[in-house]
Amino acid sequence: MRAARLIKMVLLLQARPSITGAELARELEVSERTVTRDAAALSEAGIPVYADRGRAGGYRLIGGYRTRLTGLGRTEAEALFLSGVPSALREMGLADAASAARLKVSAALLPELRDASHTVAQRFHLDAPGWWREPEAPELLPGIADAVWDDLRIAVRYRRRDAEVRRELEPYGLVLKAGVWYLAARAEGGFRVYRVDRFAAVEPTGARFVRDEEFDLPAFWEERAEQFARSILRERVVVRLTPAGARRLPHVTDRVAAEEAVREAREAGEPDGQGRLTVTLPVESYEVALAQLLGLGPDAEVLGPPELRELFAEAARRTAELYR
């Protein structure tokens, strides 16, 4: 552990013109007294660490010294590509590897380029989880991530509705969608998608699998996500919308389905004399449609099916009773 800390200290010193003992202690997660001892050990080993005394003092490397200990390890290199998603790194247990990788890259850069990581970080940030929810990392995620990195087959127990099934999977890739983790894996019958938080147990089998080099995770996810979105829209409802309702419809229900429904309605005919447009909208269920379309208020009138229209009529009666 001390050897790794000394290497990290050298990289920190190489990445900055000068750094205080307190800053080094914070970066290395040790006391300032330990920093002093480590600096002395590095000097004895021939690394020219110089300590400036006084309030504005600190540690620095002299004589243009540059370390050659900047080769990225496999895990560090992989983590570096995820460094724009810090929450994902933490949840997969790769935060330390990413930190080491960034230090090595900074140490290898020319002095005038060493502020690049800070410059980018101040201008671009990806916040993956959705609003109004506290993201929870699935407990089994780090183990699954390890299996994905190393192409290890895993034996799993997976919760499906009221049943729990056992599977042996070849874990190809992880996807973080709106704060929820999914695993793309190959099982008997082909590739499938599994929600990571539904795994009850995950154990490596000790065997590796041969990865299909033609597998494209982004393309696979895009295709499956579209299929999933289509598959859950099982019902059709007919809605008459004001111009405002037509504009707002994509914001309260499935965006793609809403935009297609409005476009098809406009291509099929002109709005009525009051500018209202009648659309046929695919929805997940009548209950979901009720919750979504109520958000449009008087800008949406459900014309069918009759049972959904009655649900809206009942909701309107109860609302009117509240405001009588």
Side-chain angles (χ1 to χ4, degrees), residues 72-256:
L72 291 179
R74 178 173 179 271
T75 303
E76 295 166 347
E78 289 164 340
L80 190 61
F81 287 102
L82 289 168
S83 59
V85 195
S87 61
L89 286 167
R90 287 193 300 271
E91 292 175 11
M92 288 193 292
L94 292 171
D96 289 342
S99 176
R102 286 192 292 268
L103 272 175
K104 289 182 178 182
V105 170
S106 295
L109 291 174
L110 294 172
E112 61 267 25
L113 298 178
R114 287 180 190 159
D115 66 342
S117 61
H118 176 76
T119 301
V120 172
Q122 294 303 313
R123 288 164 173 78
F124 301 101
H125 176 68
L126 175 61
D127 185 9
W131 290 102
W132 306 298
R133 61 179 297 169
E134 186 66 28
E136 295 183 5
E139 182 180 351
L140 300 176
L141 177 62
I144 294 173
D146 287 342
V148 169
W149 291 130
D150 295 328
D151 295 341
L152 291 174
R153 294 178 66 91
I154 53 176
V156 306
R157 299 204 319 269
Y158 187 73
R159 294 184 290 267
R160 294 177 57 183
R161 298 185 178 88
D162 298 329
E164 189 174 274
V165 297
R166 295 177 182 271
R167 294 282 186 272
E168 192 165 305
L169 305 176
E170 296 177 353
Y172 266 66
L174 285 163
V175 175
L176 180 60
K177 169 71 170 178
V180 179
W181 284 96
Y182 296 88
L183 173 68
R186 183 163 60 185
E188 292 184 8
F191 288 97
R192 299 188 179 184
V193 175
Y194 302 85
R195 273 187 63 141
V196 173
D197 57 8
R198 292 183 184 169
F199 284 109
V202 175
E203 293 291 339
T205 65
R208 295 182 181 275
F209 64 91
V210 179
R211 180 175 286 266
D212 182 352
E213 295 301 329
E214 295 184 358
F215 178 79
D216 184 331
L217 180 60
F220 170 79
W221 176 258
E222 183 178 1
E223 178 186 351
R224 290 303 172 93
E226 184 177 350
Q227 289 177 359
F228 174 76
R230 298 292 182 182
S231 68
I232 64 174
L233 302 178
R234 301 184 181 91
E235 306 290 348
R236 296 290 186 273
V237 301
V238 180
V239 187
R240 186 155 53 206
L241 301 166
T242 66
R247 288 194 301 272
R248 292 168 53 202
L249 184 65
H251 300 289
V252 299
T253 186
D254 182 89
R255 181 184 60 81
V256 174

